Amino acid sequence: MEDDFKHLVRISRKDVDGNKKIEQALTEIKGVGLSLSRSICLTLGLNLEEQIGYTSEEDIAKIEELLENPKEYGIPDWMLNRRNDYETGDDLHLIESDLDMTLRDDLNRMRKTRSYKGRRHEVGLPVRGQRTKSTFRHSSTVGVSKRR
């Protein structure tokens, strides 16, 4: 049994710790949360309590295939992290460096079109409508100083 154990498992360009349970180990991949990892395990019929180091190569290949095409395996659209993509209009699920590059491209597109969100990103202010009177201060504080 110890011969089959792998201390590092390579899944979708990411080395995952083999001592972790499958459900927790999949969350180490950027773009995969706990609910998606649980649905991956349930879809493929994997044991949630088993360590990922004991998982066979065929199961790891199935996990990678599911991460590439989650809609083909019946993962619902609301679990995907890139719905209604800007260029294609499709529902996608991005992981690792693809997710980083797409986010960077989105921010650059907002900056280039001079949208409200793009300008807020440029200046480093909050984008989603938070109050800025007392929070998001980066320099010295304004207010009453304490007596010494």
Side-chain angles (χ1 to χ4, degrees), residues 13-128:
R13 302 171 292 196
K14 173 76 174 170
D15 290 329
V16 177
D17 184 16
N19 295 319
K20 291 189 175 184
K21 295 181 180 173
I22 294 177
E23 186 179 13
Q24 286 295 321
L26 290 177
T27 60
E28 288 185 21
I29 301 170
K30 186 170 185 174
V32 178
L34 195 59
S35 62
L36 182 64
S37 70
R38 179 176 280 263
S39 65
I40 287 170
C41 294
L42 294 176
T43 301
L44 297 178
L46 301 174
N47 184 7
L48 294 173
E49 298 299 318
E50 184 180 87
Q51 289 179 334
I52 199 162
Y54 291 115
T55 307
S56 65
E57 293 294 327
E58 300 86 39
D59 288 339
I60 291 174
K62 286 180 187 177
I63 291 171
E64 288 179 349
E65 177 62 31
L66 194 144
L67 285 173
E68 290 294 321
N69 303 314
K71 290 178 74 175
E72 292 178 7
Y73 285 86
I75 301 293
D77 290 340
W78 55 267
M79 277 194 173
L80 306 179
N81 62 5
R82 182 87 177 155
R83 292 181 290 181
N84 197 9
D85 185 44
Y86 183 76
E87 284 90 20
T88 62
D90 296 335
D91 296 333
L92 306 172
H93 190 81
L94 303 174
I95 54 173
E96 293 295 326
S97 61
D98 297 335
L99 186 61
D100 293 334
M101 288 189 306
T102 307
L103 178 64
R104 190 173 352 107
D105 292 343
D106 289 343
L107 291 177
N108 288 337
R109 187 181 67 247
M110 284 189 270
R111 287 177 182 146
K112 187 176 179 182
T113 59
R114 305 296 295 160
S115 69
Y116 178 80
K117 286 174 69 173
R119 285 185 278 147
R120 300 292 280 190
H121 273 294
E122 279 180 356
V123 180
L125 291 172
V127 176
R128 296 186 177 180

Side-chain angles (χ1 to χ4, degrees), residues 118-142:
R119 285 185 278 147
R120 300 292 280 190
H121 273 294
E122 279 180 356
V123 180
L125 291 172
V127 176
R128 296 186 177 180
Q130 295 95 329
R131 295 172 184 262
T132 57
K133 181 178 180 180
S134 60
T135 56
F136 304 105
R137 294 183 183 268
H138 299 295
S139 60
S140 63
T141 59
V142 177

